[in-house]
Amino acid sequence: MEHKWWHGKTAYQIYPKSFCDSNGDGLGDLKGIISKLDYLQSLGVDILWLSPIYPSPFVDQGYDIADYENIDPIFGNLEDFDVLMREAKARGMDVIMDLVVNHCSSEHAWFKKACADLNSEEAGYFYFVKGKDGQFPNNLRSYFGGSVWEKIPGHEDEDIYYSHYFAKEQPDLNWYNEKLREQVYKLVTFWLNKGVAGFRVDAILSIVKDLSFPDLPPDDADGMTHAAKMNARNLSQIGQFLNELKARTFAPHDSFTVGEVLTVTKESVTEFAGPNGYFSTLFDLSPRELVEANPHYRDYPNLTVDQFKECVFNTQELYQQADAFVAPIIENHDEPRGVSYYLPEHLHNAQGAKLLGTFLMFLRGIPFIYQGQEIGMTNTKFEHIDEFNDLFAKEEYRLSREEGKSEQEALALCARHGRDNARTPMLWSDEPNAGFTTGTPWLRVHQDYKTLNVKAQESDPLSPLNHYRKLIALRKDPKLHETVTYGNFERNELGAGVLSYLRTNQESGQRLLVIANTNHESLTYQVPASEACALITTGEVELQGTTLTLGCGGAAILELK
Ligand code: NOJ
């Protein structure tokens, strides 16, 4: 594999609204992030991904952008951003932005102009489509529920609609319009000129549409089908757009780009993330994909740790075969906390967090850590639907109630699957509101913040935080770096509840074994080597010669000779 500057790095996702509030308004901001750069440096991460910080009405928490070339005042301003860039660079960290160009906000000037004049240039930036027989143009259901079609504001009496795969406040941008594409290249270049190292690219599969807007077979009793089903049908057209985007923006800057792409296949993996792919890498979202194959919370399965492992291993093999680069994750702002979601209940704790971290950090590719994951944050306990902010959770609650579920049952579904689980404030200390804000936090604070926080973990050598620090440092160790970054991945099947794989370097002969036991029962394993040495362990782990014993929750990385 051709070496790139981002290979061997570790990335960290910041959800700015919940990271650190510097001015007491209850919302995280750029000055707050700047005040925590030393912390991030001490963790050892190299690339910071900022979820959207652009001006936005926040219907979908900033993924509805009203101005692509500015900062929302709740976060600060462009000067603060420049300081953040400078201070991050001074600490050896790069910053990447969130690129959300499948849609903008209905508050964006483009959409306002488009609605005001259906013959304007801006009207061509959107999909304004005539209804079919007095009905919506087709039967697609948006990601957040309801039709993807909505009457154009100011034209409610006419038989014409705009498309929105997400909320109705997120009108889809029409990539088939050359002028729109030029606008996208301009805004990407704006941030590249500010020194950002690249982008996380949002919902990119949705930019292609079947312009005849056909109906698809329904996937639920409402007669509609999930908009994502349309993405898969039109994939062959995406190359022309993404190659152009890359050539005009990312490539000349040698940018690092990570795509949010679901349904990666043998056919598409090279195209998207191979040596000449549209992006540097793609997130491994395969566990989420398995869950979201069902349109509603009521049908979401509860994944077992073995299903999670199977997803991760399949992805590792898929990318390896294609010589492609993947970005493994445990969680992000769209998913519940991994410890609560994937592990059996007896590991919904610090030991579970350390075990998952050990499993993640030596996988092939560039790992992304989501804020709070490094201290082992679990799901937040929500007691009432009013405590949720996420529009999808609220819609699912409404639907569950409409379908006859009790308040408790509907709430339990949101509590298990809701995106707000991971969006609650970062836990810095045991001070009021976990030291996140001196004001009233925009989303409730995790119930365990008195004991589960950065400050408490700093001084505990066995804390998840210090374990993550060691893992990140180990990944960078020059003696291991080549194997961890470019080495072969091989699954090591040791039965249900055991997560294990090998990383091997064919040139040097180096072999690393990663192993974690989620079972109640302890595991004794004869490692396949004549000598073994533990590089890092957590929990109950004993290595006697080549006999390894792992207690419940124990995890280790060994070098095999
Ligand atoms: C994916 C983002 O991660 C999610 O938070 C957002 O709601 C949708 N894309 C729409 O932008």
Side-chain angles (χ1 to χ4, degrees), residues 60 63 103 144 166 170 200 202 260 333-334 419 423:
D60 185 23
Y63 284 89
H103 46 266
F144 299 143
F166 294 89
Q170 293 168 296
R200 174 265 185 187
D202 185 73
E260 188 202 24
H333 66 292
D334 287 333
R419 304 194 295 177
R423 295 179 177 186

Side-chain angles (χ1 to χ4, degrees), residues 294-313:
N294 309 280
H296 298 293
Y297 285 177
R298 62 161 135 76
D299 303 317
Y300 279 14
N302 291 332
L303 292 194
T304 64
V305 72
D306 293 310
Q307 285 173 301
F308 169 68
K309 170 177 83 172
E310 193 58 24
C311 287
V312 174
F313 285 180

Side-chain angles (χ1 to χ4, degrees), residues 13 15 49 51-52 60-64 98 100 102-103 143-144 166-167 170 200 202-203 260 288 332-334 390-391 419 423:
Q13 179 186 358
Y15 197 67
W49 154 30
S51 274
D60 185 23
Q61 288 314 328
Y63 284 89
D64 44 329
D98 214 309
V100 188
N102 169 67
H103 46 266
Y143 278 74
F144 299 143
F166 294 89
Q170 293 168 296
R200 174 265 185 187
D202 185 73
E260 188 202 24
R288 173 167 136 209
N332 63 27
H333 66 292
D334 287 333
D390 178 26
L391 75 175
R419 304 194 295 177
R423 295 179 177 186

